[in-house]
């Protein structure tokens, strides 16, 4: 009972009341010494959560309820993969630019209103997930990430992209679905390596003839827009394997669509390759 009282009052161990210390007392004193972990700097406490995964230095702080990032995070310059997804972040500090070895940055599922211009310092970045945020624009400096291969900006409030993104020559996958885009940003037509372009659930009314410049395109998703027509130049993209124009305002398709031989069939299932063209006011049915 006395021991319990002492613990309740904040004492770690009971007093000796004049007794000579014995071996038990010595053990208690050892237990009272702070552990090595307590002597670590906060940087080291974060670093100990980093792992090696597939040869990359990886840190996941996903689903931690973070409203802001710890300052010490930006000192871990060895990081190559950083996962900050599913938190409550509304902003990222300029310190992000110090992580110059980042290859993959995962920011999806936050409350981000913008990305810091210092993101342009991430010259090794290959994958950026920033979908499901509250972004209304993208910094011009993102165009400096010349090694970017995958970019997801879906489920935001974006209506345009800066022309500087035309420098993303290595980009192969771009997801701009569920935004407020009325015209395909001009920079997109310069991304000649694109094989996957997702523009569903926007406010598109037309495609520019320059779509023919995306010569490596294999998957083009345009469903749930307000397209009234498809340009004939689209039929120059002979590598297309999936074209989804479901839920638009199309009354016809270009006569040259037969050139898109890899579409092969009219598709129904969302994952099927082919031409998806249901829920359009077509004047004439499409022949296989």
């Amino acid at each position: 009972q006395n021991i319990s009282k002492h613990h309740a009052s904040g004492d770690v161990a009971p007093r000796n009341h004049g007794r000579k210390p014995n071996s038990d007392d010595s053990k208690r004193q050892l237990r009272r010494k702070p552990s090595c972990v307590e002597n670590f700097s906060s940087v080291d406490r974060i670093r100990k959560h980093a792992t090696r995964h597939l040869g990359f230095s990886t840190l996941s702080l996903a689903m931690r309820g973070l409203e802001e990032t710890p300052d010490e995070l930006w000192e871990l310059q060895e990081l190559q993969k950083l996962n900050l997804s599913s938190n409550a972040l509304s902003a990222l500090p300029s310190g992000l630019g110090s992580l110059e070895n980042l290859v993959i940055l995962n920011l999806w599922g936050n409350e981000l209103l913008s990305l810091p211009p210092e993101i342009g310092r991430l010259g090794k970045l290959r994958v950026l997930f920033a979908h499901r945020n509250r972004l209304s624009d993208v910094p011009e400096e993102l165009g400096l990430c010349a090694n970017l291969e995958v970019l997801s900006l879906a489920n935001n409030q974006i209506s345009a992209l800066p022309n500087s993104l035309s420098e993303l020559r290595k980009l192969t996958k771009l997801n701009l679905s569920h935004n407020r885009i009325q015209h395909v940003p001009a920079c997109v037509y310069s991304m000649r390596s694109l094989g996957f372009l997702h523009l569903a659930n926007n406010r598109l009314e037309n495609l520019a003839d320059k779509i023919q410049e995306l010569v490596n395109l294999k998957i083009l998703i345009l469903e749930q827009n307000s397209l009234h027509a498809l340009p004939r130049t689209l039929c120059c993209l002979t590598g297309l394997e999936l074209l989804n124009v479901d839920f638009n305002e199309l009354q016809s398709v270009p006569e040259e669509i037969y050139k898109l031989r890899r579409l092969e069939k009219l598709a129904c299932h969302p994952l099927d390759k082919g031409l998806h063209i249901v829920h359009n006011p077509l004047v004439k049915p499409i022949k296989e």
Side-chain angles (χ1 to χ4, degrees):
Q1 289 176 346
N2 288 336
I3 291 174
S4 299
K5 289 178 181 178
H6 283 300
H7 277 293
S9 64
D11 291 338
V12 176
R15 297 186 178 92
N16 291 324
H17 297 293
R19 291 188 294 106
K20 294 181 179 180
N22 56 29
S23 59
D24 290 338
D25 294 327
S26 299
K27 290 178 182 177
R28 290 192 189 98
Q29 293 296 325
L30 287 173
R31 285 199 295 267
R32 291 171 64 181
K33 290 183 178 180
S35 67
C36 295
V37 173
E38 291 171 349
N39 289 329
F40 281 171
S41 69
S42 53
V43 174
D44 288 330
R45 286 206 301 270
I46 296 176
R47 183 175 279 120
K48 74 174 184 176
H49 292 287
T51 60
R52 298 291 298 182
H53 180 66
L54 299 177
F56 291 94
S57 176
T58 304
L59 176 64
S60 177
L61 296 177
M63 296 185 289
R64 299 294 183 94
L66 297 177
E67 295 184 3
E68 57 184 25
T69 53
D71 292 338
E72 296 80 10
L73 173 61
W74 315 117
E75 297 182 38
L76 305 183
Q77 297 181 3
E78 71 275 15
L79 281 183
Q80 294 169 290
K81 294 184 178 181
L82 176 60
N83 187 350
L84 293 170
S85 64
S86 299
N87 281 293
L89 301 173
S90 59
L92 291 175
S94 60
L96 174 66
S98 65
L99 302 185
E100 296 180 358
N101 288 305
L102 275 187
V103 175
I104 298 177
L105 177 57
N106 192 342
L107 302 171
W108 81 270
N110 279 282
E111 301 291 332
L112 293 175
L113 300 173
S114 63
L115 297 174
E118 287 79 9
I119 198 169
R121 293 169 55 189
L122 307 182
K124 297 180 182 179
L125 195 65
R126 297 208 305 260
V127 178
L128 174 59
F129 295 130
H131 47 285
R132 295 191 182 279
N133 277 281
R134 298 171 60 191
L135 301 174
S136 57
D137 54 30
V138 176
E140 292 186 6
E141 290 80 1
L142 185 61
L144 298 174
C145 299
N147 286 304
L148 206 58
E149 298 174 9
V150 178
L151 175 59
S152 179
L153 296 169
N155 294 88
N156 279 287
Q157 301 169 19
I158 295 169
S159 58
L161 294 178
N163 289 332
S164 61
L165 267 57
S166 61
E167 298 300 318
L168 301 180
R169 306 291 185 182
K170 295 183 179 180
L171 203 66
T172 61
K173 295 182 180 180
L174 176 61
N175 191 342
L176 295 171
S177 62
H178 295 84
N179 275 288
R180 301 176 179 180
I181 298 171
Q182 293 183 327
H183 305 283
V184 178
C187 62
V188 172
Y189 297 120
S190 298
M191 299 172 180
R192 306 294 169 79
S193 297
L194 278 183
F196 175 95
L197 178 56
H198 200 338
L199 286 161
N201 291 84
N202 275 285
R203 302 173 182 180
L204 298 175
E205 295 186 3
N206 57 68
L207 289 179
D209 288 340
K210 293 178 69 175
I211 191 71
Q212 67 180 328
E213 298 180 15
L214 300 180
V215 294
N216 291 300
L217 209 55
K218 293 183 177 180
I219 297 176
L220 177 57
I221 304 175
L222 299 164
E223 67 176 318
Q224 292 281 4
N225 279 283
S226 300
L227 294 172
H228 295 283
L230 296 175
R232 290 185 175 184
T233 55
L234 179 67
C235 303
C236 296
L237 303 180
T238 53
L240 271 182
E241 298 176 359
L242 189 156
L243 173 60
N244 190 335
V245 289
D246 289 345
F247 296 94
N248 276 279
E249 302 296 331
L250 299 175
Q251 295 186 6
S252 63
V253 295
E255 292 180 4
E256 296 85 354
I257 200 168
Y258 70 88
K259 294 181 180 179
L260 302 179
R261 299 186 183 280
R262 293 192 180 183
L263 290 184
E264 295 185 347
K265 65 179 181 179
L266 294 175
C268 296
H269 191 280
L271 298 180
D272 283 348
K273 292 182 179 180
L275 175 62
H276 298 251
I277 196 167
V278 300
H279 297 283
N280 280 278
L282 294 171
V283 175
K284 294 187 296 183
I286 305 297
K287 295 181 180 180
E288 286 282 353

